[in-house]
Amino acid sequence: MKLNIAFPATGCQKLIDIEDEHKYREFYEKRISAEVSAECLGEEWKGYILRITGGNDKQGFPMKQGVLTNGRVRLLLSKGHSCYRPRRTGERKRKSVRGCIVDSNLSVLNMVVIKKGDNEIPGLTDRTLPRRLGPKRCNKIRKLFNLNKQDDVRRYVIRRELPDKEGKKRTAKAPKIQRLVTPVRLQRKRKSMALKRQRSQKNKEEAAEYQKLLAKRLKEKRAEHLSRKRRASSSRNSASKA
């Protein structure tokens, strides 16, 4: 069985191929997210604690969290489920996945170092890989570099160096900062709020004008009704006198 062990603190990961079953038998019957001591792998792993994050069997089918079996099952999966990516809107598909319990049929077991021991593991804990991609959101950049509101976030964006081209200057790529409050953004917001107030004021004025027109039409209608009533009564009086 192969063990793919990652150490998030350094950004490194190491693939270990273990032939001796007695070494990795400690992981049998453990579920995904279980924390296991790594002392069974050798003396250099003393004090290390690993968390199981997943794996694949010998045919390439992935383990799925929540499926409480060590065998393979076929599940109807849709958008939002792990081990499945829909190609069309509303698509569902029956896919083969392996349960979340570790057994001997796995070919690769993925694990993460939760607690580091006393010894250094070559290729895993002895070197640090720089972050290839940094955060994009303004507040996350502030959190990473412990900045306050007055600091210019644009100076702290993590840039990625591009490979050199012959006869061209060396260039770097940086992400566009999201949710960055700039004077232009504040100006646009002021403009939108002013337009909103103008629309509200215009609607109020139009509503007041409409109410005036409605009252005027109602008054004219009442006056017309009274005049008809008077004409009718005068015609009846003249007819009775005749």
Side-chain angles (χ1 to χ4, degrees):
M1 185 189 285
K2 292 179 180 177
L3 300 179
N4 188 14
I5 302 172
F7 189 37
T10 61
C12 297
Q13 63 179 16
K14 189 174 184 179
L15 187 66
I16 305 169
D17 195 355
I18 301 174
E19 300 292 339
D20 187 6
E21 188 180 352
H22 294 283
K23 286 189 175 182
Y24 56 79
R25 191 179 285 176
E26 185 75 21
F27 304 125
Y28 286 177
E29 301 303 319
K30 298 287 192 300
R31 296 182 189 176
I32 291 178
S33 299
E35 296 182 2
V36 191
S37 174
E39 292 184 14
C40 58
L41 300 177
E43 284 295 322
E44 67 272 15
W45 292 92
K46 189 174 181 180
Y48 280 82
I49 295 177
L50 307 176
R51 179 189 288 150
I52 300 170
T53 57
N56 294 74
D57 63 7
K58 292 170 183 175
Q59 286 75 37
F61 293 100
M63 296 172 71
K64 182 170 172 62
Q65 178 70 290
V67 182
L68 299 178
T69 180
N70 57 4
R72 199 185 299 167
V73 293
R74 284 176 62 80
L75 300 176
L76 188 65
L77 304 177
S78 61
K79 184 181 178 182
H81 288 109
S82 59
C83 308
Y84 175 64
R85 182 171 64 88
R87 266 63 172 183
R88 303 179 67 179
T89 305
E91 183 185 56
R92 296 190 300 168
K93 210 170 204 177
R94 196 167 292 278
K95 303 279 286 184
S96 292
V97 293
R98 183 160 284 280
C100 67
I101 299 173
V102 179
D103 69 346
S104 59
N105 292 319
L106 295 178
S107 65
V108 181
L109 189 63
N110 302 326
M111 313 182 86
V112 172
V113 176
I114 299 299
K115 184 184 175 186
K116 185 185 172 187
D118 299 328
N119 300 323
E120 297 284 344
I121 306 297
L124 188 66
T125 61
D126 58 346
R127 63 195 183 101
T128 303
L129 291 178
R131 291 184 63 168
R132 182 179 168 271
L133 298 175
K136 287 182 72 175
R137 193 181 298 177
C138 187
N139 284 338
K140 291 192 175 180
I141 297 172
R142 286 196 183 104
K143 186 179 178 183
L144 180 65
F145 292 103
N146 196 18
L147 306 176
N148 55 27
K149 293 280 187 182
Q150 284 72 37
D151 293 323
D152 189 6
V153 181
R154 291 170 291 187
R155 291 170 48 205
Y156 294 89
V157 181
I158 296 176
R159 298 182 174 273
R160 180 165 58 91
E161 297 289 337
L162 296 177
D164 294 338
K165 291 184 179 178
E166 291 184 8
K168 289 193 175 180
K169 193 178 177 182
R170 194 172 185 182
T171 55
K173 244 186 177 182
K176 182 184 176 184
I177 302 173
Q178 303 296 317
R179 304 186 186 180
L180 180 64
V181 180
T182 60
V184 176
R185 183 180 173 86
L186 293 173
Q187 184 183 358
R188 284 178 185 158
K189 191 171 183 180
R190 285 195 298 270
K191 184 180 178 183
S192 67
M193 293 299 290
L195 290 173
K196 192 176 179 181
R197 283 194 294 271
Q198 288 174 12
R199 284 195 300 270
S200 176
Q201 185 66 26
K202 184 184 174 186
N203 290 338
K204 284 180 183 177
E205 291 173 359
E206 287 179 351
E209 193 176 342
Y210 176 71
Q211 289 297 328
K212 283 182 183 177
L213 184 63
L214 206 63
K216 185 181 176 184
R217 294 277 168 85
L218 193 62
K219 192 176 180 182
E220 289 174 356
K221 198 173 182 182
R222 281 179 184 170
E224 189 179 351
H225 180 67
L226 286 172
S227 65
R228 280 181 188 173
K229 214 172 180 182
R230 286 196 196 101
R231 281 198 300 270
S233 64
S234 62
S235 62
R236 278 199 305 271
N237 290 334
S238 61
S240 63
K241 285 177 183 179

